[in-house]
Amino acid sequence: MAKGKYQKWLEPEGLLLLEGWARDGLTDEQIAKNCGCSYSTLREWRDKYPAVSAALKKGKEVADYEVENALFKRATGYEATETRVEETGEGTKTVTTTKPVLPDVTAQIFWLKNRRPDRWRDRPEREQPENGGGVTIVDDIPDADKAD
């Protein structure tokens, strides 16, 4: 009896490929194509074989955490180390410099809107008193037909 097409994806090398493709950001449809199967077949393998499911999940989680960490660093600022080679009268030397990377406001806004939408969304919902709160709306703009 011949081994099924799925068998190679249960081997350590196959699982590593699945994890790597997921970590690289490929969709399940793209991963299925790389495996030489349909998306529905990959879903069946994922549901039937815990090792396939774990490899896909692990790869996606790693990528998500890396992006989250990069966004957090960009939002809060960090120090970057730069190495360059310089020519001197005595030959070449390697110079290492540490420079601050300032926090990025766009990254901060993105982070806060997603992590604290109750306080940072564009249009926060205001609590309305049950009785209407006695709010009076004043129309300061005169109607055109009431003008002299």
Side-chain angles (χ1 to χ4, degrees):
M1 184 172 179
K3 288 185 178 182
K5 195 175 199 178
Y6 68 88
Q7 194 64 38
K8 79 182 238 181
W9 302 107
L10 296 176
E11 301 295 326
E13 296 83 15
L15 293 169
L16 188 60
L17 274 173
L18 292 173
E19 183 181 328
W21 289 330
R23 184 177 50 250
D24 287 345
L26 271 65
T27 64
D28 286 350
E29 290 86 354
Q30 293 168 320
I31 292 170
K33 185 176 180 180
N34 285 355
C35 292
C37 69
S38 68
Y39 172 57
S40 60
T41 299
L42 180 64
R43 281 194 324 241
E44 288 174 20
W45 294 349
R46 185 191 62 207
D47 294 343
K48 188 173 182 180
Y49 304 108
V52 171
S53 178
L56 293 171
K57 185 176 180 181
K58 183 178 178 187
K60 290 176 183 181
E61 284 179 0
V62 167
D64 289 346
Y65 283 125
E66 287 177 353
V67 172
E68 282 181 30
N69 290 339
L71 176 63
F72 183 78
K73 278 179 62 176
R74 194 69 186 108
T76 58
Y78 59 97
E79 289 188 346
T81 303
E82 181 181 284
T83 305
R84 66 181 185 282
V85 177
E86 292 183 354
E87 294 291 329
T88 66
E90 301 168 7
T92 60
K93 71 175 184 175
T94 303
V95 178
T96 302
T97 308
T98 302
K99 297 180 179 179
V101 176
L102 298 177
D104 179 71
V105 174
T106 303
Q108 292 170 345
I109 291 168
F110 185 82
W111 182 272
L112 289 169
K113 282 184 177 184
N114 283 283
R115 300 276 296 203
R116 297 295 309 266
D118 57 315
R119 295 180 62 197
W120 290 95
R121 73 176 138 236
D122 287 332
R123 297 173 190 247
E125 293 179 12
R126 295 187 181 129
E127 290 186 31
Q128 297 294 328
E130 288 182 30
N131 65 359
V135 175
T136 304
I137 298 174
V138 178
D139 185 2
D140 291 340
I141 303 171
D143 290 334
D145 59 344
K146 292 182 183 176
D148 298 323

